[in-house]
Amino acid sequence: MKKIHVGTGKPYDIIIERGIIKNAADYIRPLTKAVRAVIVSDSNVAPIYADTVKKSLQDSGFETSVFVFDAGEQSKRISTIEKMYTHFYEHNITRTDIAVALGGGVTGDMTGFAAASYLRGIDFVQIPTSLLSQVDSSVGGKTGVDLPAGKNLVGAFHQPVTVLIDPDTLDTLPEKFRTDGMGEVVKYGCIRSLPLFEKLENENAWDIIDDIIYECVSIKRDVVERDERDTGERAILNFGHTFGHAIEKLGNYTEMTHGCAVAAGAAMLTGITEEKGLTEAGTAERLKNVLKKYGLPIAVDYSLSEIISATRGDKKSSGKGISFIFLKKIGECYINKIATEDIRAFFGVN
Ligand code: MG
């Protein structure tokens, strides 16, 4: 068992342990006075794991219900949240009861947002079952939903009471989503850890995935502790994301998964910054080789001009510019804010 303590305003522990899903309630029961627990899951994950978590909660004395929504990013919207609230109401969820997010990033983000807002806030637990949610989205308290105009445009900061990570759940994860999560894993090596990046280069990450998850979560914890509300350093977690979000948007959020879009965005951006002499020579090639090794894309069919246009409205824009994350070299990055009127010239497109 590995434990990572997160010292945010409301502190909590992240537990990484194989098989933990079977005795999830052992970790949840001491943290809450809840009478009822509502499990939120999607149509892919619920049939595999909901009964296991439900049994654990019931054995610990919780009255338990399960809310299931259709799997996929297209469900990550206000209308699903409204159905979730209705389920909470019909199952008598009170302010001292608890929600349990069981699934990937969409499930965690939406359950967290519903928990942040229902009755002005109830506790929730994250049980992330995809690699992407285990290394990234379940940690740090960002919750929310998409609007037609863009991803995650409505949300709240709401830290979970605990995050329970069971690497065994990755065994049932479709190949596409295993690859997807690896995009964020590579990101952590790039921005903060040469040793992690070298592990990804020299070993097969899937053989040592428990350690990889631990290292990624530790990096995210360090960053989130110093900048819980995302006003400064936390922006570095967005390496590859400004282009990535634009690529996702150009594909109507259906052509490319998040981790793949981030990978392609990171590779493209680093190619450009290296050419400009802002990144150590050889970095882009090393990055591209690792991305290819794990089945991730390093380029897309959209032109740079199209991608730049689609960055308009990115959440990372503030005031009159966008904060891009550039690599100095593998394991080191910095924030570079570019004024809106200078962006096209900077990237050499008109
Ligand atoms: Mg991401």
Side-chain angles (χ1 to χ4, degrees), residues 136 184 187 241 258 262:
D136 200 54
E184 297 281 5
K187 173 193 83 178
H241 279 63
H258 178 69
V262 167

Side-chain angles (χ1 to χ4, degrees), residues 132 136-137 184 187 237-239 241 245 248 258-259 262:
L132 188 131
D136 200 54
S137 61
E184 297 281 5
K187 173 193 83 178
L237 298 171
N238 254 37
F239 172 59
H241 279 63
H245 287 152
E248 282 181 274
H258 178 69
V262 167

Side-chain angles (χ1 to χ4, degrees), residues 169-224:
T169 59
L170 302 178
D171 296 344
T172 56
L173 195 63
E175 191 61 36
K176 180 180 156 189
F177 295 108
R178 288 165 68 93
T179 303
D180 182 56
M182 208 48 87
E184 297 281 5
V185 170
V186 174
K187 173 193 83 178
Y188 285 110
C190 287
I191 60 171
R192 262 302 150 76
S193 175
L194 178 62
L196 170 60
F197 193 89
E198 286 173 338
K199 260 186 211 171
L200 299 173
E201 282 181 320
N202 301 328
E203 299 184 52
N204 181 348
W206 289 105
D207 295 340
I208 48 165
I209 198 68
D210 299 30
D211 291 338
I212 298 285
I213 294 167
Y214 179 81
E215 288 185 38
C216 293
V217 172
S218 299
I219 294 170
K220 180 145 189 187
R221 182 271 312 270
D222 291 345
V223 174
V224 168

